[in-house]
């Protein structure tokens, strides 16, 4: 890990980890397993985030027809594929590394069902919409894995789902200002990421372990870290 006297270079007000907890498996939909970190009793809501699920689903389990209204669902596949279909006939498959940013707006009913082969894994984040967007027409932004903005620098790889990191910007339009970054760090590397001061921010760990924040909090896979105030 980096030396302590280098831990805050470039940040005027580094954020502290103010809360940490493990996302434990639970059943959701029709037999699917999710690790829900935002939207459970420990953390009902973290403005503007309503839900964060790390999901693992093997057919015949899945997420049959269900409604959404007034927010956006962001599905980011890690392994395998999921086929989605809504009540207006929009249908497609989200494969490993692909992104679907769905704005439910005034309301949509859709299903998300796994490939019949193997276990499908991914993340789904729900982002609240402001009142002026809650009754808009439903919309989709879909990006295949090969077209997601990505860069590597000094042992750090980032896939920019939304926002900007390491000089690379996502093409996704976010009605609720959002930064969504998928980082992979080589052992011993050190990352500093600017975050606008007024924004709420969290870290979710998919694999491995590391040390985070000015408080140097250690954490491993499936933990959610809530960050305090600061500029990065």
């Amino acid at each position: 890990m980096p030396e302590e006297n280098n831990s805050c270079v470039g940040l005027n007000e580094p954020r502290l980890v103010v809360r940490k907890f493990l996302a434990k498996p639970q059943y959701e939909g029709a037999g699917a397993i999710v690790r829900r970190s935002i939207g459970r009793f420990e953390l009902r809501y973290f403005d503007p985030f309503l839900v964060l699920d790390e999901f693992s689903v093997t057919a015949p389990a899945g997420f049959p027809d269900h409604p959404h209204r007034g927010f956006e669902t962001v599905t980011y596949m890690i392994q395998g594929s999921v086929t989605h279909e809504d009540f207006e006939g929009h249908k497609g498959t989200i494969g490993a590394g692909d992104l679907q940013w769905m704005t439910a707006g005034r309301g949509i009913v859709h299903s998300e069902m796994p490939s019949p082969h193997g276990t499908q894994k991914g993340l789904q984040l729900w982002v609240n919409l402001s009142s002026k967007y809650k009754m808009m027409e439903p919309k989709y932004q879909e990006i295949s894995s090969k077209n997601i903005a990505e860069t590597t620098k000094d042992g750090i790889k980032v896939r920019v789902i939304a926002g900007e990191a390491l000089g690379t910007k996502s093409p996704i339009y976010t009605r609720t200002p959002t930064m969504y970054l998928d980082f992979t760090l080589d052992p011993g590397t050190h990352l500093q990421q600017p975050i606008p001061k007024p924004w709420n921010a969290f870290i979710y760990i998919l694999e491995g372990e590391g040390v985070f924040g000015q408080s140097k909090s250690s954490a491993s896979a499936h933990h959610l870290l809530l960050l305090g105030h600061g500029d990065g």
Side-chain angles (χ1 to χ4, degrees):
M1 298 306 296
E3 294 295 327
E4 184 168 356
N5 61 2
N6 292 325
S7 63
C8 304
V9 175
L11 298 177
N12 294 319
E13 191 180 343
R15 295 185 180 223
L16 298 172
V17 175
V18 297
R19 192 174 178 190
K20 175 179 78 172
F21 59 87
L22 178 66
K24 298 177 182 178
Q26 64 184 63
Y27 285 102
E28 191 71 21
I33 298 173
V34 305
R35 290 179 179 268
R36 179 162 295 171
S37 49
I38 299 174
R40 55 185 294 158
F41 68 92
E42 295 100 334
L43 185 63
R44 293 289 186 188
Y45 179 53
F46 189 54
D47 185 27
F49 307 112
L50 301 167
V51 165
L52 176 64
D53 283 345
E54 177 188 355
F55 62 84
S56 177
V57 55
T58 303
F63 304 96
D65 288 352
H66 57 280
H68 294 303
R69 182 179 180 180
F71 56 89
E72 299 181 296
T73 66
V74 184
T75 304
Y76 179 47
M77 290 300 299
I78 297 167
Q79 173 184 303
S81 62
V82 167
T83 297
H84 64 91
E85 183 173 9
D86 70 26
F87 71 116
E88 291 189 340
H90 183 93
K91 183 177 181 179
T93 298
I94 314 170
D98 294 350
L99 170 73
Q100 182 194 75
W101 198 294
M102 184 185 80
T103 304
R106 68 183 188 183
I108 200 164
V109 175
H110 77 153
S111 63
E112 298 155 298
M113 301 303 290
S115 162
H117 308 293
T119 299
Q120 326 307 314
K121 296 182 179 181
L123 293 171
Q124 189 167 93
L125 177 69
W126 296 9
V127 184
N128 202 8
L129 288 168
S130 65
S131 57
K132 66 180 178 180
Y133 293 126
K134 282 188 178 293
M135 295 302 290
M136 69 176 285
E137 289 284 335
K139 291 185 179 296
Y140 291 89
Q141 299 178 82
E142 295 172 322
I143 302 181
S144 64
S145 179
K146 66 181 181 180
N147 292 322
I148 288 180
E150 183 178 301
T151 192
T152 302
K153 181 180 180 181
D154 299 331
I156 298 168
K157 173 185 171 182
V158 62
R159 309 191 82 218
V160 185
I161 309 304
E164 180 178 0
L166 301 183
T168 300
K169 292 183 179 181
S170 168
I172 288 289
Y173 174 70
T174 59
R175 291 167 179 83
T176 300
T178 307
M179 182 185 298
Y180 188 160
L181 310 171
D182 175 11
F183 285 107
T184 303
L185 279 70
D186 288 344
T189 54
H190 176 216
L191 168 71
Q192 295 182 48
Q193 173 61 40
I195 303 169
K197 276 191 175 184
W199 290 18
N200 282 335
F202 66 86
I203 297 166
Y204 185 78
I205 305 164
L206 284 168
E207 292 183 314
E209 59 184 348
V211 177
F212 302 89
Q214 174 70 349
S215 51
K216 296 190 177 296
S217 298
S218 61
S220 56
H222 315 303
H223 279 86
L224 181 86
L225 310 179
L226 299 186
L227 303 180
H229 299 293
D231 64 354

